[in-house]
Amino acid sequence: MDGRAVWGRVGETRVELLSGSPLEGEPGVLGTIPVAGAVWLPPVVPGVFYAVGYNYPRHIEHAGAATPERPEVGYRANNALTGHRSPIVRPAEVTGRFEAEPELVAVIGRTVRHATYDDARKAVFGWTIGNDVSARTWQHQDRTFWRSKNSDTFKPMGPWIETEVDALAQTTTLSVNDEVRATFPTGDMVFDPFDHIVEITRHITLHPGDVLWMGAESTCQIDPGDTVEVAISGIGVLSNPVHLEGNHS
Amino acid sequence: MDGRAVWGRVGETRVELLSGSPLEGEPGVLGTIPVAGAVWLPPVVPGVFYAVGYNYPRHIEHAGAATPERPEVGYRANNALTGHRSPIVRPAEVTGRFEAEPELVAVIGRTVRHATYDDARKAVFGWTIGNDVSARTWQHQDRTFWRSKNSDTFKPMGPWIETEVDALAQTTTLSVNDEVRATFPTGDMVFDPFDHIVEITRHITLHPGDVLWMGAESTCQIDPGDTVEVAISGIGVLSNPVHLEGNHS
């Protein structure tokens, strides 16, 4: 609004602009704009950005990895976040496979520690969509995922947070240039988001705004000039063009 | 102040309470309190919490690891941060070695991408001290460092940010119950903080408030009942008691 970033409540045709974060209270409505006029930022910037690795049986089988015996998480970095419709910029020096990973994202709404499964359900404010863009050559070369998964623009998230959906009963679809590359049941996980919240909060306090990316079953190559879309039924579609660094066309 | 957390400028005997973050402008002075009356929080909560692993030649040799060919970083998580004098809480189920790692921390003061070495020097707002507390059994069992290094209270940071020091010309000392357990030249690194900033910002934008923990040369065991201190000459002393979970004595 007037060049400032504000929270919004997204309706069918209009966005209500809010006076504050709905994660922190009951914000007032400052005005409305048409949905078509919105510029989309990541719907939240987390205090901690959790990401699950191997969590879909077919992904684990494909990777030849062991099925995890209990939930485990890693981290991604906020610098890499970008919003719906913003470009994923492939660094000029990236070689080899450059891939999209379509993921369900749980957005935490409460401060929670030592959660039961029921507490964990209540701790989720809502659901959004993430694309865990990965440069595979760097992923294999490096000791950590710092540049392979956390270079600027490698973590599109959005378009919004859906608060009224049974997220685990949905279908995830990954498309490039309107061609479907993968589709899988969103909830076909080894451990679901609530299992992860129970395990994490044995040792760690989760805070409002923290996000938990739930892993992907399938991935696909993306190239400069493509538009990649991650759709989760009941939530929305996260769409991003792919650019080559230094090339703003 | 009045139960609220505020920024402060720490002098010899008094702390000036500030109207905002000195990372974001020139805050005004709200009042002063005696240094002895302060409750210390982590001096900054980063947008991204970077941590260097192998970076001291003697640590690398001791671990039998390969010397890194270029700077590389991992991540830690904000939930684990705690301030000077606050307890490190060892979870009840931790077994095996529970260790302190004394680290220099660079606090970023500018938005920076594609930094030269000189840009990197200018991008550091100041220096603080971190203790990268680690539960080794979990570290070896788990695929990531999520609970071994990021359980609540495992990342003491403070006591403050020193803006006027040649941090790499100092000495780091690790003590338990006033007994020195390790001492090493703070700057005896494979790659210094500015080398890391140059490498990171090839692909990643650093933002004001981001922190970069620089690794440790030596570690030592800490047990409930101990008080662990990390001192870096010219910066200060970060002191934390160690508690056992569920035991508030």
Side-chain angles (χ1 to χ4, degrees):
Chain A
M1 198 169 94
D2 308 326
R4 283 186 304 127
V6 296
W7 287 81
R9 189 177 289 120
V10 183
E12 285 296 318
T13 60
R14 297 192 71 82
V15 181
E16 290 181 345
L17 305 179
L18 302 179
S19 62
S21 164
L23 288 163
E24 290 165 6
E26 299 282 342
V29 177
L30 304 173
T32 76
I33 59 167
V35 168
V39 175
W40 303 92
L41 299 175
V44 66
V45 176
V48 182
F49 186 159
Y50 297 93
V52 179
Y54 294 122
N55 198 32
Y56 283 85
R58 282 179 50 194
H59 175 210
I60 294 165
E61 187 182 349
H62 179 74
T67 299
E69 291 173 16
R70 53 187 179 69
E72 197 165 349
V73 284
Y75 300 99
R76 301 290 182 272
N78 288 343
N79 68 284
L81 287 171
T82 196
H84 176 51
R85 297 215 175 115
S86 288
I88 297 160
V89 179
R90 196 186 80 180
E93 64 186 274
V94 158
T95 58
R97 291 191 70 77
F98 187 65
E99 296 192 316
E101 298 188 1
E103 307 203 4
L104 175 67
V105 178
V107 180
I108 301 299
R110 298 186 183 186
T111 299
V112 59
R113 179 80 199 267
H114 298 305
T116 64
Y117 193 88
D118 190 53
D119 295 335
R121 283 186 173 278
K122 291 176 183 154
V124 175
F125 173 80
W127 306 90
T128 188
I129 301 169
N131 186 345
D132 191 14
V133 172
S134 304
R136 300 297 181 203
T137 303
W138 283 347
Q139 191 174 339
H140 299 140
Q141 277 174 355
D142 298 345
R143 207 167 63 83
T144 77
F145 290 167
W146 73 282
R147 57 179 179 163
S148 62
K149 286 179 173 275
N150 297 291
S151 288
D152 286 351
T153 77
F154 279 23
K155 292 290 146 302
M157 182 167 72
W160 46 62
I161 300 167
E162 175 57 58
T163 55
E164 303 294 331
V165 63
D166 179 359
L168 299 181
Q170 306 304 319
T171 299
T172 302
T173 305
L174 173 63
S175 306
V176 176
N177 305 330
D178 294 322
E179 184 181 299
V180 173
R181 297 297 182 85
T183 182
F184 57 90
T186 309
D188 188 14
M189 300 173 181
V190 178
F191 295 109
D192 75 22
F194 314 116
D195 295 324
H196 278 83
I197 291 168
V198 169
E199 181 71 16
I200 291 168
T201 63
R202 290 176 66 189
H203 309 296
I204 286 168
T205 304
L206 291 173
H207 296 277
D210 287 349
V211 296
L212 176 60
W213 288 39
M214 292 307 307
E217 183 181 280
S218 305
T219 69
C220 79
Q221 171 74 18
I222 52 177
D223 292 297
D226 288 344
T227 295
V228 56
E229 289 191 349
V230 181
I232 301 182
S233 55
I235 301 179
V237 179
L238 172 65
S239 176
N240 299 90
V242 183
H243 291 186
L244 184 63
E245 185 182 29
N247 182 343
H248 301 288
S249 65
Chain B
M1 198 170 93
D2 307 327
R4 284 185 305 125
V6 296
W7 288 81
R9 188 176 289 120
V10 182
E12 285 297 317
T13 60
R14 297 191 70 82
V15 181
E16 290 181 345
L17 305 179
L18 302 179
S19 61
S21 164
L23 289 162
E24 291 165 4
E26 299 282 342
V29 177
L30 304 174
T32 76
I33 59 167
V35 168
V39 175
W40 304 92
L41 299 175
V44 66
V45 177
V48 183
F49 186 158
Y50 296 93
V52 179
Y54 293 122
N55 198 33
Y56 283 85
R58 281 180 51 195
H59 175 209
I60 293 166
E61 187 182 350
H62 179 75
T67 299
E69 291 175 14
R70 55 185 179 70
E72 196 165 350
V73 284
Y75 300 100
R76 301 289 183 270
N78 288 343
N79 68 283
L81 287 171
T82 196
H84 175 51
R85 297 217 174 114
S86 289
I88 297 161
V89 180
R90 196 186 81 181
E93 62 186 275
V94 157
T95 58
R97 291 191 70 76
F98 187 66
E99 295 192 316
E101 298 189 1
E103 306 204 2
L104 175 68
V105 178
V107 179
I108 302 299
R110 298 186 183 186
T111 300
V112 59
R113 179 80 200 267
H114 299 304
T116 63
Y117 193 88
D118 190 53
D119 294 334
R121 283 186 171 277
K122 291 176 182 153
V124 175
F125 173 79
W127 306 90
T128 187
I129 301 169
N131 186 345
D132 191 14
V133 172
S134 305
R136 300 296 180 204
T137 303
W138 284 347
Q139 190 174 342
H140 298 138
Q141 278 174 354
D142 298 345
R143 207 167 62 84
T144 76
F145 290 166
W146 74 283
R147 59 179 178 163
S148 63
K149 285 179 173 275
N150 297 291
S151 289
D152 286 351
T153 77
F154 278 25
K155 292 290 144 306
M157 181 167 71
W160 46 62
I161 301 168
E162 176 57 58
T163 55
E164 304 293 333
V165 63
D166 179 358
L168 300 180
Q170 306 304 319
T171 299
T172 301
T173 304
L174 172 63
S175 305
V176 177
N177 306 331
D178 295 322
E179 185 181 299
V180 173
R181 298 298 184 85
T183 182
F184 57 90
T186 310
D188 187 15
M189 301 173 181
V190 179
F191 295 108
D192 74 24
F194 315 116
D195 295 324
H196 278 83
I197 291 168
V198 169
E199 181 71 16
I200 291 168
T201 63
R202 290 176 65 189
H203 308 295
I204 285 168
T205 304
L206 290 173
H207 296 276
D210 287 349
V211 295
L212 177 59
W213 289 38
M214 292 308 306
E217 182 181 280
S218 305
T219 69
C220 79
Q221 172 73 17
I222 52 176
D223 293 296
D226 287 345
T227 294
V228 56
E229 291 191 349
V230 181
I232 300 182
S233 55
I235 300 179
V237 179
L238 171 66
S239 176
N240 299 90
V242 183
H243 290 187
L244 184 61
E245 186 183 29
N247 183 342
H248 301 287
S249 64

